[in-house]
């Protein structure tokens, strides 16, 4: 018994998948709408530096920058190297011999901290270090207190020893939220680190968040105790993006969902990349808007000599204004609520995957225009529900399906757009519909809290860029969309020009896939162009869509209607894949809000069409006349 045509069945199934996925994605959208608070944080040592240069007291500096979006101060622990070189605290540090004391049974090279008994925080520091390093010893001589550490200065060179109590007291006295930076200590295990942080949190309730310092997470590898302490004190964990630290991912998993994404730009990065102040401001605003960063470390960079506080305040004001223009408010951010992968999203995603794979098979066999039987439709629904159940319950199956879901969605979107060259508007709209419905189905099932925090990697990002052009090429050779089949090409005499060109295109697409979301592989002029598009459209379309993929599709429509270059049309078809692969890939970046992803895809679609029309106009009114003129000159 025949039913509707396969094309109509596919569209209905995809519409159902999209509607189910919209229902499944509602918790994520609600959480993203509620999570709009952004905070700047500044290091306390920068407050001190600005105070020295501006001849203001530190509280005055703080009161000047708080209206500009600065919500908290970052307080660090000093390492042995810091104490030996900078030492802003009222104490001495070094080997016992260097300090000029000797103790019975204590070697001259033992690391020693010397303080006056009546100095501020002497007892606090002793209590803290006793918790952190129980093997420490204490001696009193003539009003001086000597803390004999369990090691020599070399052992503690990179170990975090002493919290900046001056900064902690400043924050407590002025009720300033604290972003505390515990560092690794070679003489302290995970349990001791946890107890020391708990002790600090009891005395300084202003500690709202911790962010790890140094190359290794404090307390690693035993991080459970620290995670438990942080949760007991309602302290969140900040994870700095693009920074690799041993144990940080483990800690983030233990703390999820109480994790705040954070962005920081060091002074070394500024000078090495020759960044200007406007670029820094735009980068910070883009981090908040495009990647859902809620904690932003702001520093007074040395790009302009003199008037450092005034320049820093200008940069803060510019960055705050740019972020607020995008609909964000300033305040200490909240962590995201936890939501699981929804069953509706699993069904929608499975339905999209099965429908695309089934229809690709129908295209490959040349029966996509035929009518489907009732058993074929029943089988589709059964396989979709079965796939959804397996994806929902088996994590490996979900990862495997994710690797192919985006690829098949992008492939069907480009094939649907390409086949309607006689009705280009319909083709463009149909391709967009498949991208949006399919992309939302991926976002619904895979866009969980852990995915938005970058803790659960999505397996389909690279495959979405690499597999669709191969699937398209296989389809075209089998269906002879290209004038010859693969066997004809192999058997005929060498006429490899068009295939060499396709090979170059595929290689270029591979390069784009490898550099995807890797700013270090993007040339400076393109970064500047991206910044311009961001300022112009607020939500920047992806370059590979509006400058390459969609223009190639529009150009393909034109050459097909003109019946030009039959052997070279395949190049335009393969390049067109890039628009749809990139658009589907946009939905796979779960740290970006869903609304922004949709806006980015729509901006890429219409700007790509405009650029494509401009390219066609250039070919029609410039390229063709020049070609004809060249042929006439050649005949003469």
């Amino acid at each position: 018994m025949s039913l509707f045509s396969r094309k109509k069945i596919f569209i209905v199934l995809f519409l159902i998948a999209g509607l189910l996925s919209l229902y499944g994605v509602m918790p994520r959208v609600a959480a993203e709408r509620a999570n709009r608070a952004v905070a700047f944080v500044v290091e306390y040592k920068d407050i001190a530096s600005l105070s020295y240069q501006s001849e203001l007291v530190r509280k005055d500096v703080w009161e000047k920058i708080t209206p500009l979006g600065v919500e908290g101060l970052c307080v660090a622990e000093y390492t042995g190297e810091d104490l030996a070189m900078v030492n802003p605290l009222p104490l001495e540090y070094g080997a016992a011999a260097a300090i000029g004391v000797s103790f019975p049974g204590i070697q001259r090279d033992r690391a020693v901290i010397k303080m006056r008994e009546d100095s501020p925080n002497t007892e606090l520091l002793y209590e803290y270090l006793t918790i952190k390093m129980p093997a420490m010893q204490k001696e009193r001589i003539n009003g001086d207190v000597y803390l004999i550490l369990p090691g020599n200065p070399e052992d503690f060179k990179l170990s975090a020893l002493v919290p900046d109590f001056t900064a902690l007291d400043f924050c407590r006295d002025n009720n300033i939220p604290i972003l505390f930076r515990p560092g690794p200590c070679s003489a302290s295990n995970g349990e001791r680190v946890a107890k020391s942080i708990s002790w600090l949190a009891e005395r300084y309730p202003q500690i709202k968040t911790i962010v790890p310092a140094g190359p290794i997470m404090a307390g690693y590898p035993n991080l459970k105790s620290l995670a438990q302490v942080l949760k007991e004190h309602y302290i969140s964990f900040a994870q700095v993006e693009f920074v690799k630290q041993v144990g940080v991912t483990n800690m983030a998993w233990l703390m999820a969902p109480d994790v705040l994404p954070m962005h920081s730009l060091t002074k070394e990065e500024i000078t090495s990349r020759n960044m200007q102040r406007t670029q820094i401001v735009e980068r910070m605003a883009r981090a908040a808007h495009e990647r859902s960063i809620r904690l932003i470390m702001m520093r007074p960079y040395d790009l302009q000599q003199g008037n450092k506080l005034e320049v820093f305040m200008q940069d803060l004001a510019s960055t705050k204004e740019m972020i607020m223009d995008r609909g964000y408010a300033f305040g200490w951010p909240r962590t995201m609520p936890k939501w699981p992968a929804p069953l509706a999203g699993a069904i929608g995603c499975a339905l999209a995957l099965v429908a695309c794979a089934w229809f690709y098979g129908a295209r490959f066999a040349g029966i996509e225009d035929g009518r489907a039987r009732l058993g074929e439709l029943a089988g589709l629904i059964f396989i979709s529900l079965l796939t959804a159940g397996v994806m929902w319950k088996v994590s490996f199956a979900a990862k495997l399906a994710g690797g192919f879901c985006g690829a098949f969605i992008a492939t069907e979107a480009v094939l649907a757009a390409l086949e309607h060259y006689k009705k280009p508007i319909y083709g463009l709209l149909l391709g967009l519909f498949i991208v949006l419905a399919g992309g939302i189905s991926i976002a619904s099932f895979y866009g969980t809290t852990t995915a938005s925090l970058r803790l659960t990697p999505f397996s389909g990002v690279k495959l979405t860029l690499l597999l669709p052009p191969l699937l398209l090429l296989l389809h075209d050779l089998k269906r002879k969309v290209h004038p010859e089949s693969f066997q004809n090409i192999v058997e005929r005499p060498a006429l490899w020009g068009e295939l060499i060109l396709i090979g170059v295109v595929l290689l270029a697409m591979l390069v784009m896939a490898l550099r995807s979301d890797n700013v270090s592989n993007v040339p400076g002029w393109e970064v500047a162009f991206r910044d311009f598009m961001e300022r112009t459209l607020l939500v920047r379309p992806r370059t590979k869509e509006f400058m390459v993929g969609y223009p190639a599709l529009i150009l393909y429509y034109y050459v097909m209607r003109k019946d030009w270059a039959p052997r070279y049309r395949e190049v335009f078809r393969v390049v067109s894949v890039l628009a749809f692969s990139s658009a589907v890939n946009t939905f796979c970046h779960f740290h970006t809000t869903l609304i922004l992803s949709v806006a980015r895809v729509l901006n890429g679609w219409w700007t790509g069409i405009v650029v494509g029309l401009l390219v066609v106009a250039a070919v029609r009114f410039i390229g063709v006349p020049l070609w004809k003129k060249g042929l006439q000159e050649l005949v003469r």
Side-chain angles (χ1 to χ4, degrees):
M1 175 181 171
S2 298
L3 295 173
F4 297 107
S5 71
R6 289 187 175 88
K7 285 187 176 181
K8 290 182 179 179
I9 290 175
F10 170 80
I11 291 175
V12 171
L13 290 177
F14 229 73
L15 182 61
I16 295 172
L19 293 175
L20 283 171
S21 300
L22 278 175
Y23 174 75
V25 86
M26 286 300 105
R28 174 186 168 184
V29 173
E32 289 174 347
R33 286 181 176 176
N35 186 29
R36 307 290 288 181
V38 178
F40 295 153
V41 289
V42 176
E43 292 195 71
Y44 177 79
K45 65 180 182 180
D46 286 330
I47 296 290
S49 175
L50 293 170
S51 172
Y52 300 145
Q53 295 184 26
S54 61
E55 298 182 353
L56 296 172
V57 298
R58 298 176 187 189
K59 186 176 181 181
D60 289 344
V61 173
W62 169 252
E63 290 176 350
K64 281 181 174 291
I65 64 176
T66 47
L68 304 176
V70 180
E71 300 289 337
L73 289 180
C74 184
V75 177
E77 281 189 297
Y78 290 110
T79 64
E81 186 174 50
D82 294 332
L83 293 176
M85 295 179 63
V86 181
N87 195 6
L89 302 177
L91 56 83
E92 294 181 50
Y93 169 80
I99 290 179
V101 294
S102 62
F103 306 99
I106 301 298
Q107 298 296 324
R108 290 165 51 84
D109 66 344
R110 282 285 290 272
V112 174
I113 293 176
K114 176 185 176 182
M115 299 174 290
R116 291 295 302 171
E117 194 168 9
D118 56 356
S119 289
N121 298 316
T122 295
E123 285 303 313
L124 282 176
L125 179 56
Y126 169 66
E127 290 182 42
Y128 178 80
L129 288 178
T130 301
I131 295 171
K132 196 168 185 178
M133 293 178 284
M136 184 190 70
Q137 298 172 249
K138 180 181 179 182
E139 297 286 345
R140 282 187 172 91
I141 302 176
N142 299 328
D144 291 326
V145 175
Y146 297 87
L147 303 181
I148 305 166
L149 306 183
N152 58 47
E154 186 63 29
D155 295 330
F156 297 112
K157 182 178 180 180
L158 301 178
S159 290
L161 295 176
V162 182
D164 189 345
F165 281 107
T166 302
L168 291 172
D169 290 341
F170 178 82
C171 293
R172 181 180 58 191
D173 295 343
N174 295 283
N175 197 27
I176 300 171
I178 298 172
L179 181 71
F180 186 62
R181 299 196 67 193
C185 180
S186 59
S188 188
N189 60 26
E191 185 176 350
R192 293 171 186 166
V193 168
K195 289 180 179 179
S196 66
I197 297 294
S198 179
W199 181 89
L200 270 181
E202 289 171 1
R203 284 152 183 79
Y204 297 96
Q206 290 75 24
I207 297 177
K208 302 297 183 184
T209 306
I210 71 163
V211 58
I216 304 174
M217 178 70 207
Y220 181 81
N222 180 18
L223 300 174
K224 290 184 179 179
S225 299
L226 179 57
Q228 182 178 352
V229 162
L230 295 180
K231 288 180 178 291
E232 288 174 355
H233 289 279
Y234 302 100
I235 296 174
S236 58
F237 179 76
Q239 187 173 18
V240 184
E241 61 174 356
F242 310 134
V243 175
K244 303 297 182 183
Q245 295 166 291
V246 176
V248 167
T249 301
N250 309 60
M251 187 65 186
W253 265 109
L254 291 171
M255 288 296 298
D258 299 324
V259 178
L260 290 174
M262 180 175 172
H263 186 71
S264 175
L265 192 59
T266 65
K267 296 179 180 181
E268 291 75 16
E269 288 179 275
I270 297 294
T271 53
S272 64
R273 298 183 183 181
N274 195 27
M275 297 181 69
Q276 303 302 311
R277 289 171 59 198
T278 54
Q279 292 176 298
I280 298 171
V281 169
E282 289 168 354
R283 172 165 168 167
M284 297 305 184
R286 193 160 54 243
H289 188 48
E290 294 188 2
R291 301 193 299 279
S292 302
I293 300 298
R294 296 297 175 256
L295 278 176
I296 300 176
M297 176 70 75
M298 299 294 289
R299 293 185 171 93
Y301 302 107
D302 300 323
L303 295 178
Q304 182 171 323
Q305 305 301 311
N307 300 322
K308 199 170 184 178
L309 177 58
E310 181 180 344
V311 172
F312 184 47
M313 292 175 63
Q314 291 172 1
D315 291 344
L316 287 172
S318 299
T319 310
K320 180 183 180 182
E321 181 182 6
M322 188 172 290
I323 292 175
M324 292 189 69
D325 286 345
R326 286 159 173 75
Y328 298 89
F330 274 77
W332 198 259
R334 295 182 299 173
T335 56
M336 296 283 277
K338 192 169 185 178
W339 66 86
L343 179 58
I347 297 174
C349 192
L351 192 58
L353 171 60
V354 172
C356 285
W358 163 72
F359 202 61
Y360 178 80
R363 287 182 181 278
F364 204 79
I367 58 173
E368 74 273 18
D369 290 323
R371 302 177 74 84
R373 294 183 175 275
L374 181 61
E376 188 175 354
L377 179 59
L380 272 174
I381 296 174
F382 173 76
I383 294 173
S384 297
L385 293 175
L386 179 63
T387 303
V390 174
M391 288 170 59
W392 200 43
K393 291 295 184 181
V394 183
S395 60
F396 175 76
K399 292 179 181 178
L400 189 64
F404 291 95
C405 189
F408 274 103
I409 290 170
T411 301
E412 178 52 38
V414 71
L415 285 171
L418 287 168
E419 73 176 357
H420 290 98
Y421 64 90
K422 293 182 179 179
K423 300 178 180 179
I425 295 177
Y426 178 76
L428 288 165
L429 289 172
L430 181 58
L432 178 65
F433 161 72
I434 294 172
V435 164
L436 291 176
I440 290 174
S441 72
I442 293 174
S444 179
F445 179 62
Y446 291 98
T448 59
T449 309
T450 53
S452 69
L453 295 173
R454 301 176 180 86
L455 300 178
T456 306
F458 180 62
S459 56
V461 172
K462 301 303 181 186
L463 205 59
T464 302
L465 294 174
L466 295 175
L467 188 57
L470 297 178
L471 291 174
L472 175 71
L473 197 55
L474 286 174
H475 166 272
D476 289 356
L477 292 175
K478 174 66 169 60
R479 294 288 301 273
K480 293 189 177 180
V481 176
H482 187 67
E484 301 166 288
S485 67
F486 180 75
Q487 183 177 357
N488 295 145
I489 295 172
V490 173
E491 292 177 350
R492 66 167 165 78
L495 252 181
W496 295 92
E498 69 275 15
L499 290 180
I500 291 174
L501 185 57
I502 291 174
V504 171
V505 171
L506 290 174
L507 180 61
M509 296 179 78
L510 175 62
V511 171
M512 286 189 175
L514 292 175
R515 75 169 200 157
S516 179
D517 298 315
N518 191 344
V519 177
S520 61
N521 291 331
V522 179
W525 64 266
E526 187 174 341
V527 173
F529 182 66
R530 289 180 178 186
D531 292 340
F532 168 76
M533 293 299 294
E534 179 74 21
R535 289 191 299 268
T536 305
L537 298 177
L538 294 182
V539 180
R540 175 184 59 83
R542 305 185 82 179
T543 307
K544 56 179 75 75
E545 295 172 35
F546 82 97
M547 291 296 289
V548 183
Y550 285 118
L553 176 62
I554 301 299
L555 198 55
Y556 174 77
Y557 288 160
Y558 182 69
V559 298
M560 283 296 293
R561 293 170 74 92
K562 293 291 185 180
D563 197 24
W564 288 349
R567 290 187 180 278
Y568 291 90
R569 294 173 189 164
E570 192 66 24
V571 175
F572 300 122
R573 291 175 66 88
V574 173
V575 176
S576 299
V577 176
L578 198 57
F580 300 92
S581 296
S582 176
V584 173
N585 200 13
T586 295
F587 288 98
C588 303
H589 294 89
F590 307 119
H591 54 272
T592 301
T593 61
L594 186 62
I595 298 299
L596 190 142
S597 294
V598 172
R600 172 161 289 154
V601 169
L602 292 175
N603 276 348
W605 183 76
W606 75 261
T607 55
I609 293 173
V610 171
V611 172
L613 292 174
L614 293 175
V615 171
V616 168
V619 171
R620 171 67 180 85
F621 297 108
I622 300 175
V624 172
L626 289 176
W627 175 263
K628 290 181 178 179
K629 184 177 180 180
L631 288 178
Q632 291 173 357
E633 293 293 334
L634 185 63
V635 171
R636 292 176 185 173

